Each structure stands twice: as C-alpha cells, then as structure tokens.
Amino acid sequence: MTSSENCTKCGEEAVITREYEGRSLCKKHFSVDVNKTVKSTIRKGEMVESGDIIAVGLSGGKDSAVMLQQLVEIFGDRPDIEIKGLAVHEGIDGYRDESIRAAEKLCDNLGVKLHVARYSDYYDLEMDEVVKKDIERSNCTYCGVLRRDLLNKKSREIEANKLAVGHNKDDEAQALLMNYIKGDMMRLARIGSKLVNDNDFVPRIKPLRDLREKEIALYSRLHNLGVVDRCPHVQEGSLRPRVKKFLNDLEEEMPGIKDQVVANGREISDLVEDEYSFEDSDLSPCEKCGEPSSNEVCRKCQLLEELQNM
Ligand code: SF4
C-alpha cells in the first residue's frame, strides 16, 4: 500500500497508492482525506449532535488511538460536545498496564480525561486467572462479553450518552460475512447505521467504519499514535481469521471488492433492520444483574456463573 509514486494532488512524494481508486497521496493529502472520511461518516450516520458526551473506548490499538485523535480534531473546539477516554483493564498484567499507560499519554496530549474500569472491581476476576482455568470456550469469548458489558456500564457511570468504538471497514466486512454465514440476522441488522436506542444501552457510534485497517495503521505510524503489542491471551475463534484471509486474498486480486462487500452488506442490513432491530426484540432486565437482556439471565451472568463453577 505504501508507494514510490507521487501525490496525484500536489506531486510530492506519495505515502500511499490506492489501487482501488487509481490515485496516490502524500502525507498531507492522505491526512486530509482521512479526516474528511471520518467527518462524512459521522455526518451521514448522524452520529454526533450538540450536547453529546462521548466516551471513546481506548484499547491501546491503532484504531482507537486514531479515533480519539480524529474526534478531538473534529469536535475539540466545540463547547457543546464533551469527549472522555474510556479504557478497560481486564487483569492482563504487562500488556494491559502498558496499553493503559499509552492511553494516559495519548489523553494527556489531547487534553482528554481518561477513565479506567477494571474487571477486578466489577466482576471480582482477572483474565490472567481465567485463562488458567479449564474453560470450555475461547478466552476472547469470555473477555469480549465482559468487556462489552463493562464499556456500557462505565459509559453510563461517567454520564456519556454515546460510546465510540474503533471498528473499521475491514472489521465490518468480516462481521457482515460472518453474520451472513451464521445466519445471525439480529447482528446483521445491528450493523446498520441507525443508533440503537434503549435506556440502558449507551448507543455505539463507529466513526472509523469507512476507513480501511491498513490506512488506519499507516495514519497512526505517520502521526506517531503508538500501538501496544497484541494481547498474550488472544484466541479469535476459527471463523474470523478464515473470513479475514478470504477477504484479503480477494482484495489482492480484485482491488475494491471489500468496499462492495460492505456497501452491499449495509443495504441488506438496512433491509432487515426493521424486522430484527433491537427495540423490537424482547429485552427485559437480567434476573441477576438488571442489565438489559433477551434471556432471563444475560450472557455475561451465564458466563460468570460458568467461571465460578470451575
Ligand atoms: Fe480479552 Fe481476547 Fe481482547 Fe485479550 S484479545 S483483551 S483476551 S478479548
């Protein structure tokens, strides 16, 4: 993706050549283009409005760092919009300590307050202990469910009315295909651009959903938005890595195919949204924790019970 060509706009040395668009861009014009894309995504999705308090989920990765930097660049001067950093400490020594330090530094540089929520405070467990148990599912299945729950809970606690998550176009292409393969219409419907409205769910916004993973990585390198190593407990399951490889191989042969997958998938998502949308599903408070759930006991409480009984 990096290039030895010249910028199509100004003739300076290019940092990227987009084969799917047939143009090259220098650092300056690439950065302007990234910012324009994020602004357009936010505008089209009606993601931000006056009075919003936005919690920005920070994972230590490139996506969330670029997302925070972009949101501050776009809304930092607006007195009617507040941005707060939000990081989760899953109890993964070393890796997560380092990523929280990186998040603190980033937030300091951007003038944003960082809030940290810990599994040990909310669930009385740490992932370093969970992975030593004889667990039935992948580490990330337990951790992902707890993480989603905690991001939502903590966003409410810090009075955020939006939660920004760093999903990019590659994530979305993978999610669309996986939901299609699994026939998971509920999740497919939720990929649509409309915000979920429920008193207990803080609506999620995805300002990077129109940016490709490789371009976000390039942007973070060009602007020194540091990235911390991968989690040592990562176990992605068997389907996602295959779908990811399949899409990357296709893109290699047919530049632009991921855009088509996402554009077509969004259309299908919009079509099934009314039928399967969250508000229509039968949500009620979980019997154990009171969080909204489509079952009597929510998935997080089921998994926590499973862990306690091991
Ligand atoms: Fe948790 Fe998996 Fe993410 Fe590690 S990679 S923090 S185990 S979800």
Side-chain angles (χ1 to χ4, degrees):
M1 179 160 289
T2 47
S3 165
S4 56
E5 298 185 20
N6 292 333
C7 177
T8 314
K9 287 186 171 263
C10 69
E12 285 290 312
E13 189 187 343
V15 292
I16 182 170
T17 293
R18 288 175 175 157
E19 284 181 29
Y20 60 92
E21 268 186 357
R23 66 174 181 156
S24 300
L25 295 170
C26 65
K27 179 180 173 182
K28 179 182 149 201
H29 285 110
F30 170 63
S31 303
V32 169
D33 194 77
V34 164
N35 185 256
K36 263 177 148 172
T37 302
V38 177
K39 276 183 180 160
S40 149
T41 304
I42 292 171
R43 194 177 51 248
K44 278 192 285 184
E46 297 174 7
M47 293 179 185
V48 179
E49 58 194 2
S50 180
D52 275 349
I53 300 175
I54 306 168
V56 180
L58 294 170
S59 67
K62 59 192 180 323
D63 303 79
S64 58
V66 170
M67 174 170 68
L68 181 63
Q69 188 264 352
Q70 284 295 309
L71 287 173
V72 170
E73 192 169 324
I74 297 167
F75 298 110
D77 290 334
R78 290 266 304 262
D80 57 334
I81 291 171
E82 197 176 344
I83 295 171
K84 299 180 177 190
L86 176 53
V88 170
H89 198 312
E90 302 90 347
I92 305 170
D93 277 355
Y95 160 72
R96 193 46 90 198
D97 297 324
E98 193 191 338
S99 79
I100 301 262
R101 277 196 296 277
E104 276 166 358
K105 195 169 156 215
L106 180 68
C107 286
D108 266 3
N109 290 343
L110 295 170
V112 169
K113 183 170 167 50
L114 177 67
H115 300 262
V116 180
R118 295 174 179 270
Y119 282 8
S120 54
D121 292 336
Y122 288 80
Y123 311 123
D124 198 21
L125 59 76
E126 302 205 323
M127 277 311 289
D128 283 339
E129 295 305 316
V130 170
V131 299
K132 287 184 200 151
K133 295 185 181 224
D134 190 15
I135 49 179
E136 286 175 26
R137 305 160 210 277
S138 75
N139 301 336
C140 295
T141 299
Y142 293 95
C143 190
V145 171
L146 298 181
R147 188 180 165 78
R148 267 193 300 281
D149 177 73
L150 192 45
L151 280 171
N152 191 52
K153 222 191 284 277
K154 190 73 183 176
S155 294
R156 283 200 316 254
E157 279 178 27
I158 62 173
E159 296 180 338
N161 66 326
K162 302 266 169 73
L163 169 63
V165 291
H167 289 202
N168 59 48
K169 191 177 259 187
D170 291 66
D171 294 330
E172 192 161 316
Q174 290 156 28
L176 283 162
L177 268 193
M178 285 169 65
N179 292 333
Y180 180 72
I181 291 167
K182 292 195 260 184
D184 191 336
M185 303 306 267
M186 283 274 275
R187 281 183 199 268
L188 188 61
R190 271 188 254 160
I191 285 175
S193 56
K194 283 185 214 157
L195 298 177
V196 172
N197 283 314
D198 180 284
N199 286 340
D200 291 321
F201 275 120
V202 178
R204 290 176 173 231
I205 58 171
K206 299 173 184 171
L208 303 189
R209 70 192 296 234
D210 293 317
L211 286 175
R212 289 162 175 246
E213 185 179 344
K214 281 187 178 167
E215 299 202 2
I216 295 171
L218 173 62
Y219 185 95
S220 75
R221 272 203 309 280
L222 291 171
H223 294 272
N224 294 322
L225 297 166
V227 177
V228 173
D229 271 350
R230 280 189 105 195
C231 169
H233 303 320
V234 66
Q235 281 178 340
E236 289 182 303
S238 54
L239 185 56
R240 184 176 284 275
R242 288 184 193 184
V243 168
K244 186 174 181 174
K245 182 174 181 316
F246 169 70
L247 284 167
N248 285 343
D249 289 348
L250 268 189
E251 182 71 27
E252 195 71 30
E253 282 177 39
M254 296 177 243
I257 194 88
K258 277 186 198 168
D259 295 314
Q260 278 181 40
V261 170
V262 168
N264 298 340
R266 284 179 186 175
E267 256 190 79
I268 296 171
S269 174
D270 285 346
L271 284 173
V272 297
E273 190 165 13
D274 288 341
E275 188 79 10
Y276 292 93
S277 71
F278 228 49
E279 292 102 316
D280 292 344
S281 62
D282 201 12
L283 287 179
S284 55
C286 164
E287 276 180 4
K288 292 197 162 195
C289 70
E291 291 289 322
S293 169
S294 48
N295 296 309
E296 285 175 6
V297 176
C298 74
R299 179 97 169 115
K300 174 215 41 187
C301 287
Q302 288 174 19
L303 292 180
L304 284 174
E305 195 176 331
E306 211 175 285
L307 289 171
Q308 275 157 10
N309 292 335
M310 275 172 195

